[in-house]
Amino acid sequence: MWRIGMGAILLIALALRLGGIHNPILDHPGWRQGDTASIAKNFATLQYNILYPQTNYNGPPPNYVELELQIVPIIAATLYKIVGVHEVIGRLTSIAFSLGTVAVLGFFARWLFASEIAGLFAALLFAVMPGSFFYGRTFTPDTTMVFFLTCALYVITRTLVDEETWSVRRIAGGTALLTLAFLAKPVALAALVPIGALIVERVVSGRTLRWAPLALLLVIPLAVLYGYDRAVASHAEWHWASGITTLHVLPALAGSFQSLHALHVKFTLFEQVLGMLAYTMIGPAITALAILGFIFMPVAARSRTLLWSWLAGGLAYTYVVVTVERVDYYMYLLLPLAALCGAAFLTRLTSAIVNRPLDNAVKYVAAAAGVLALAGIVYQNLEIVKPYYAYNKQVYRNAIALNAALAPGALVVMGHYDPSVLYYIGRYGWEEDPYLWTPFDEQSAIRKGARYFIDIEKNRFNRNVELCAWMQRFPIVNERAQWLVYITDPARVKPGAEKQWRAFRNAELRGQARQWLDEHALCASGKRQK
């Protein structure tokens, strides 16, 4: 029955994760998927080396970036070399890791609560959480991190709670899994809180503790993470991880301690992101079950310390990081915990119903009610993330059309921030805000080889009167296109372009820049195309 139940749950999980499997990576979160997909493609076509991840922007390649170990992209790139570049491979890789987490949680809960039904409940709850099944099919690294984090906590918790003598195999396995979790995404460092709490609990209880293997278990993952980060940072142009931490996260945290107002703002944001966690990631119904699980924990639970300290570590991370980077999938590491706690409550409820002297008919009615409740939860969760599957089909068509129309291998400046759009245009170059980009920036890009400027955000481009006026020196590929493309080849500059530019500059000095453009029917305001 255990195997049949797990098989059925895995099929439900797979069915939910196959939704939108063939969508372009323009669906949510397009930015992150664009980065991941471009790194995978560049592994396959430019440099097949996991220590040298690179994106498509910031000029001609190589464009190395400081990010987590690119496990999903390197797997996808390996398959790309066999079957060609297909983004669905990246999605299928994430699905495989997500289904693995479903299965691991089944074993985790079965051991933690000494109940097979608890294992089935935990697997089922994680399978149908909105954040779990939606992000479990996105071309991103987060699902991989959650898989290794869950595996590591399962193995290490069993070692610390059950084992008096630790085998080399058990310590080596826990160390490897924890290392992969940290490398998959440093968010997994939050796991140190429950591991530390379990160590303290073992010391306080007077049980034997082998410090040498324990030190290896903790030091090796941290040392490997540090070594990887230093290796990638040494040649990266974009320092995403350290940049976000030093420029945004730490200053925001420090600022929250400098005034009561800043602290109040921080707690307000904390409340908001917890709302995101409860709604779009765990789902309202399962959130309620998880809270009830903390309150009505089964007596047979092998470690309450694990669950409470996991919660503490996750909430501390959420307070420090997610209140700055307010993205719901950054709280993914709390979903397995919610599944375990929800399973704890459902196990206790089921046991109470089964063991009461009720007629079988009443029990059948209760079981039927449970099935209907599950169907309602799944429907509600699907509706919650339904907007996430949407993407702009016209944007996709425009990007694919440009991929076919522009000169092969040409560098471009794209007037829009979104790696997923640049990915489908199929070129390297720059992605920039057309309102902030200047003629000097454009000239610098042209000297480095940029041969097209793609006007995606028309309103912002036209409001940047200097850039728009300067760009009029170049011909346009297709005047009727939704996205105007300027051919920024110095050899293609229009006759009289410099004279026109000087006339605009003189009008600008008189404070009549917009008036001059209007008089010459240039840079008229238009609707934003995306």
Side-chain angles (χ1 to χ4, degrees), residues 74-367:
I74 201 68
I75 293 172
T78 303
L79 296 174
Y80 286 175
K81 288 179 173 291
I82 301 171
V83 300
V85 177
H86 304 284
E87 297 79 30
V88 71
I89 292 173
R91 292 191 185 275
L92 290 171
T93 303
S94 290
I95 288 174
F97 280 110
S98 186
L99 295 180
T101 307
V102 171
V104 170
L105 277 170
F107 289 101
F108 202 160
R110 184 174 71 167
W111 167 79
L112 186 61
F113 303 116
S115 166
E116 290 191 345
I117 193 67
L120 296 177
F121 278 139
L124 180 61
L125 291 178
F126 185 81
V128 303
M129 288 179 184
S132 174
F133 67 72
F134 178 80
Y135 290 113
R137 35 74 69 195
T138 55
F139 202 163
T140 58
D142 301 83
T143 296
T144 306
M145 178 274 293
V146 168
F147 169 75
F148 286 119
L149 172 68
T150 306
C151 290
L153 284 177
Y154 176 42
V155 171
I156 294 170
T157 302
R158 288 199 64 167
T159 301
L160 291 171
V161 172
D162 276 357
E163 305 293 333
E164 288 301 325
T165 58
W166 301 338
S167 66
V168 173
R169 179 180 178 184
R170 182 64 65 89
I171 293 297
T175 302
L177 289 168
L178 195 61
T179 302
L180 287 168
F182 290 173
L183 290 171
K185 205 166 185 180
V187 171
L189 288 167
L192 292 175
V193 175
I195 293 172
L198 290 169
I199 293 171
V200 170
E201 182 182 51
R202 185 167 176 127
V203 171
V204 170
S205 66
R207 297 175 65 191
T208 57
L209 200 66
R210 299 175 61 194
W211 290 106
L214 188 61
L216 293 176
L217 178 70
L218 297 176
V219 171
I220 289 177
L222 292 171
V224 172
L225 174 63
Y226 178 80
Y228 168 78
D229 181 69
R230 291 301 86 205
V232 174
S234 66
H235 52 253
E237 298 175 43
W238 287 88
H239 293 266
W240 283 117
S242 61
I244 290 174
T245 301
T246 57
L247 297 177
H248 302 287
V249 173
L250 293 180
L253 180 63
S256 68
F257 295 116
Q258 294 173 3
S259 72
L260 289 176
H261 173 72
L263 186 62
H264 173 72
V265 170
K266 188 77 167 175
F267 271 104
T268 300
L269 294 173
F270 185 52
E271 182 181 4
Q272 291 175 3
V273 296
L274 289 181
M276 293 165 53
L277 171 67
Y279 187 69
T280 61
M281 291 300 293
I282 302 176
I286 301 177
T287 297
L289 292 175
I291 293 171
L292 289 170
F294 274 108
I295 298 171
F296 301 103
M297 189 72 62
V299 176
R302 282 191 166 95
S303 179
R304 290 175 169 81
T305 300
L306 166 72
L307 300 174
W308 283 106
S309 56
W310 189 341
L311 178 65
L315 291 181
Y317 155 77
T318 300
Y319 178 80
V320 173
V321 176
V322 189
T323 51
V324 179
E325 297 292 321
R326 294 187 290 278
V327 182
D328 59 1
Y329 64 84
Y330 277 23
M331 297 175 281
Y332 207 152
L333 79 166
L334 285 168
L335 269 60
L337 172 64
L340 290 172
C341 293
F345 174 72
L346 289 177
T347 301
R348 187 161 181 174
L349 178 63
T350 302
S351 177
I353 293 173
V354 170
N355 293 328
R356 285 181 68 90
L358 300 173
D359 292 338
N360 286 337
V362 175
K363 294 180 179 181
Y364 291 142
V365 169

Side-chain angles (χ1 to χ4, degrees), residues 56 58-61 406-415 422 427-432 437-454 470-471 474-475 485-493:
N56 288 16
N58 201 34
L406 302 183
L411 293 177
V412 304
V413 176
M414 184 182 75
L422 187 62
R427 301 296 186 275
Y428 298 92
W430 295 259
E431 54 172 27
E432 304 293 341
W437 194 242
T438 70
F440 302 104
D441 296 327
E442 181 62 27
Q443 289 176 77
S444 175
I446 290 172
R447 284 194 295 271
K448 294 174 183 176
R451 290 300 175 261
Y452 297 102
F453 178 90
I454 305 169
W470 190 83
M471 291 296 296
F474 298 113
V485 178
Y486 294 84
I487 305 173
T488 56
D489 186 340
R492 301 285 300 274
V493 174

